[in-house]
Amino acid sequence: MKKILSFGLIIGCIALLGGCYSSKTKSGTSSTSSEKVKQEIAISLPTQLSTLDTTQTTDKNTFTIAQHLFEGLYRFDDNSKPIPGLAQSVDVSEDGKTYTFRLRDNLKWSNGTALTANDFVFAWKRLVDPKTQGPNAYLLDSVVNSYDVRTEAKPVSDLGISAPDEQTFVVKLAQAQPSFLSVVSIAWLAPQNEAYVKEQGEDYGKTSANLIYSGPFALKDWDQTGDEWTLVKNKEYYDAKEVKLTTIHGSTVKEENTGINLYQSGELDLTRISGQYVQQYRDEKGFISHNDVANYFLDFNKKTGTALANVHLRKAIALAIDKTSLANDVLNDGSKALNGLIPANLYANPDTKEDFRKYSGSYNTYDLTAAKKEWQEAQADLGDSVKVELLVSDDDNGKKISEYIQSQLQENLSGLTIKITPQPKNNLNQARRDKNYELSLSGWIAGSSDLDSYFNLYKTGSAYNYGAYDNSDYTSLVEKARTTDANDPDKQFADYKEAETILLKEDAAQVPLYQSASNYLINPKIKGIAYHLYGDYFNLRGAYVE
């Protein structure tokens, strides 16, 4: 899930900065015991929703909403452990290669249509079929023949999945994958109804009127260009009795100060804060902070013939940025400097319990002497003056981070000019997909506990390899870790460490910057919110207004 950049919170009717708590929820309903509390809240996201065709969705802002709309075989509990979702059970073969899911009885789509195992067969085939392939197709590479299908070496009919009957869905893996149930807990592998998708044609997933839903909520009043939308309780959801909220009003709020003002005025129940606002509001009762399993980084377009194809320039940039100062002084929101592709707490060796980040060590830490040496070598090839365009999101964090990076690079590498180009996040993501950038500020937030989801970003042929990185040794090591050594944690960790060394130390293909924290102001009257490590920033399935 790619998946990018920071996020929002839940807020109610608190008067901050010395004010008193309001006795009303956002809807104006009294919260006294003599009246029933209206289960209706308002939330904000920092960007517009992109496509809600789950085979095509990539950013975590959109996935946060998708997780409320499209439940799959499994879902995450409040502790981010995969538990049965639309499947009531699963049988796993002794060798870990065959998963037989049994769906719940009488499942229905939001429009009342029966939901069957064939809906999973259709969606998964649609994800990997070269004619309709989505950027997350690699997630099924462990499924028998999936890689060959998506690379057009075999027909989609050879994909190792089947539906022996309407309630049974069988998946055959080429090799065991310990994280498989975590992967199927994300909306990217949710079902899709074949008849409905084909009826909608090219409009499928573009508006709320062109979608049906399998999750706890349904969507209303949304299209891809709109800044407002509404989630309503899905009455056809198998566990609807456990869903307390009836209505969630959503809006796009890019400026954090605007979100805070709306929160204080009682118009929002969820908004994100960072930087100075974290310091200002961290002692408030409604303040909540969670560490993300995320890597925010600089990515180079290494197109042949361009300045950034020069490895010495990339290394100079990687070594010339003080990441600790960025995290502690500029962001100042709980983020931590990151010196590796893999963030901390993504995955630990199941035998030794050692986290991969600690195991693999640090790469390209701030070293001004080494940076200037690399810069001199770059100048010998490129000339004394080099200008690079930095593509960033047009929000508060994009502005702060890009201005800091510009200052660091121009001050530390004399002759290097950084031009900042801000764009809306959806536009930025499209520019990256189109490879229409030189240097970009981006991020990848874990969709599951699978290490491969990060290493896949730079594999040759990966849909997410926007910067045209091509190293056969790196790709071979990542593939070896994913397949041959998948069931030997020590060998797998060694493969991935060697790959990370090639990617960062030898080729400087990416500059990891920081591991983010998500900070929220949350109405204390709203209970039951889940903050998953993967898939979404927050989840309101079990939330309610007290």
Side-chain angles (χ1 to χ4, degrees):
M1 142 194 181
K2 175 170 180 216
K3 314 153 192 127
I4 317 183
L5 293 141
S6 39
F7 233 87
L9 320 170
I10 303 189
I11 307 180
C13 35
I14 310 175
L16 298 179
L17 296 176
C20 59
Y21 286 23
S22 168
S23 62
K24 295 182 181 292
T25 62
K26 290 290 182 288
S27 63
T29 303
S30 171
S31 59
T32 63
S33 59
S34 62
E35 296 183 36
K36 188 176 181 180
V37 176
K38 193 171 185 180
Q39 297 298 314
E40 184 172 348
I41 65 173
I43 69 174
S44 71
L45 301 181
T47 65
Q48 293 177 333
L49 302 180
S50 60
T51 177
L52 282 168
D53 177 348
T54 51
T55 66
Q56 303 299 320
T57 305
T58 58
D59 66 285
K60 194 169 182 178
N61 286 297
T62 302
F63 263 117
T64 294
I65 302 306
Q67 289 293 97
H68 293 79
L69 300 173
F70 306 104
E71 189 164 301
L73 296 163
Y74 265 54
R75 65 181 182 87
F76 291 118
D77 68 10
D78 290 353
N79 297 312
S80 301
K81 302 298 182 184
I83 60 173
L86 298 183
Q88 64 181 4
S89 64
V90 63
D91 291 326
V92 184
S93 62
E94 288 188 11
D95 62 5
K97 293 183 179 182
T98 301
Y99 285 71
T100 303
F101 295 93
R102 182 70 179 173
L103 300 189
R104 298 178 187 274
D105 296 335
N106 302 315
L107 290 175
K108 293 182 180 180
W109 289 96
S110 57
N111 66 350
T113 301
L115 194 160
T116 73
N118 287 313
D119 295 328
F120 286 96
V121 173
F122 172 73
W124 289 28
K125 286 184 175 180
R126 187 166 176 264
L127 177 65
V128 301
D129 187 339
K131 296 178 181 177
T132 55
Q133 189 173 121
N136 290 316
Y138 76 93
L139 291 164
L140 291 181
D141 278 359
S142 60
V143 175
V144 169
N145 294 329
S146 186
Y147 179 81
D148 287 340
V149 169
R150 73 179 180 88
T151 56
E152 302 186 75
K154 290 186 177 181
V156 70
S157 58
D158 284 356
L159 186 64
I161 60 175
S162 62
D165 58 61
E166 290 193 345
Q167 284 187 258
T168 306
F169 180 59
V170 180
V171 183
K172 293 186 178 296
L173 304 182
Q175 62 278 325
Q177 183 180 355
S179 64
F180 187 66
L181 290 180
S182 177
V183 173
V184 302
S185 298
I186 308 294
W188 47 40
L189 293 179
Q192 293 183 344
N193 181 275
E194 182 174 6
Y196 185 87
V197 171
K198 290 183 176 179
E199 178 185 350
Q200 300 305 310
E202 293 184 358
D203 291 331
Y204 179 73
K206 293 182 178 180
T207 76
S208 54
N210 304 112
L211 287 161
I212 52 176
Y213 311 96
S214 62
F217 295 94
L219 184 64
K220 293 174 59 179
D221 307 321
W222 170 76
D223 64 54
Q224 287 178 306
T225 61
D227 286 329
E228 295 184 355
W229 38 268
T230 304
L231 299 182
V232 296
K233 183 174 179 177
N234 178 7
K235 295 180 180 179
E236 300 292 351
Y237 181 57
Y238 70 89
D239 206 16
K241 66 181 184 300
E242 296 299 322
V243 181
K244 308 304 183 192
L245 294 175
T246 59
T247 307
I248 302 169
H249 300 284
S251 60
T252 302
V253 178
K254 293 181 180 179
E255 302 294 333
E256 291 182 15
N257 186 56
T258 301
I260 291 171
N261 289 338
L262 291 171
Y263 169 72
Q264 292 177 317
S265 67
E267 297 177 64
L268 267 184
D269 287 309
L270 185 156
T271 200
R272 174 189 179 275
I273 60 173
S274 65
Q276 64 181 1
Y277 299 120
V278 173
Q279 305 308 310
Q280 186 173 351
Y281 295 111
R282 71 185 321 149
D283 294 329
E284 294 294 331
K285 187 177 181 180
F287 176 78
I288 295 291
S289 182
H290 292 275
N291 292 322
D292 299 326
V293 182
N295 172 1
Y296 286 84
F297 57 89
L298 289 177
D299 185 46
F300 304 104
N301 189 335
K302 295 163 282 292
K303 183 179 179 181
T304 302
T306 65
L308 290 172
N310 185 289
V311 67
H312 297 294
L313 175 58
R314 299 198 303 269
K315 287 182 178 182
I317 290 173
L319 293 163
I321 300 171
D322 186 342
K323 304 171 188 177
T324 301
S325 179
L326 170 63
N328 296 344
D329 302 326
V330 178
L331 295 172
N332 195 24
D333 61 357
S335 297
K336 304 294 183 183
L338 181 62
N339 293 297
L341 173 68
I342 303 299
N345 303 317
L346 175 68
Y347 189 74
N349 185 313
D351 296 332
T352 67
K353 309 304 179 185
E354 185 175 26
D355 186 74
F356 181 81
R357 181 69 277 128
K358 182 179 180 181
Y359 167 84
S360 190
S362 297
Y363 300 86
N364 293 336
T365 55
Y366 180 56
D367 186 335
L368 200 49
T369 300
K372 289 182 176 180
K373 181 178 179 182
E374 294 290 347
W375 174 230
Q376 289 175 351
E377 293 196 48
Q379 287 177 306
D381 293 333
L382 303 173
D384 292 339
S385 299
V386 176
K387 184 176 181 179
V388 175
E389 183 176 351
L390 172 59
L391 184 65
V392 302
S393 58
D394 64 348
D395 55 16
D396 290 345
N397 260 19
K399 183 175 187 295
K400 287 188 297 187
I401 297 168
S402 62
E403 289 178 352
Y404 175 79
I405 290 170
Q406 180 187 56
S407 174
Q408 285 273 288
L409 295 180
Q410 291 184 171
E411 289 179 9
N412 294 336
L413 306 175
S414 180
L416 178 60
T417 300
I418 302 296
K419 178 188 176 183
I420 298 172
T421 301
Q423 291 188 6
K425 285 181 182 175
N426 285 344
N427 293 14
L428 181 151
N429 291 336
Q430 188 60 52
R432 282 174 49 76
R433 285 191 289 268
D434 294 340
K435 306 184 188 302
N436 185 24
Y437 71 99
E438 292 181 321
L439 180 63
S440 73
L441 176 61
S442 190
W444 188 267
I445 301 179
S448 71
S449 59
D450 198 344
L451 288 167
D452 188 65
S453 67
Y454 281 85
F455 284 98
N456 176 72
L457 295 175
Y458 293 94
K459 280 174 60 177
T460 300
S462 168
Y464 289 111
N465 189 358
Y466 304 137
Y469 179 64
D470 187 11
N471 186 302
S472 59
D473 291 338
Y474 171 87
T475 297
S476 295
L477 284 163
V478 172
E479 191 63 15
K480 183 182 177 186
R482 190 187 67 80
T483 56
T484 307
D485 294 337
N487 293 321
D488 187 324
D490 291 340
K491 289 183 178 179
Q492 185 185 58
F493 267 40
D495 292 338
Y496 279 137
K497 180 177 180 178
E498 188 175 350
E500 193 173 38
T501 300
I502 293 171
L503 181 77
L504 301 180
K505 184 177 180 180
E506 295 181 13
D507 292 345
Q510 184 201 86
V511 184
L513 294 172
Y514 67 96
Q515 184 165 344
S516 61
S518 290
N519 300 285
Y520 311 86
L521 290 173
I522 300 178
N523 180 357
K525 291 182 181 295
I526 300 177
K527 308 296 183 181
I529 304 164
Y531 303 94
H532 297 139
L533 291 175
Y534 323 114
D536 50 40
Y537 287 104
F538 54 84
N539 195 282
L540 303 171
R541 180 187 187 274
Y544 61 94
V545 182
E546 190 175 51

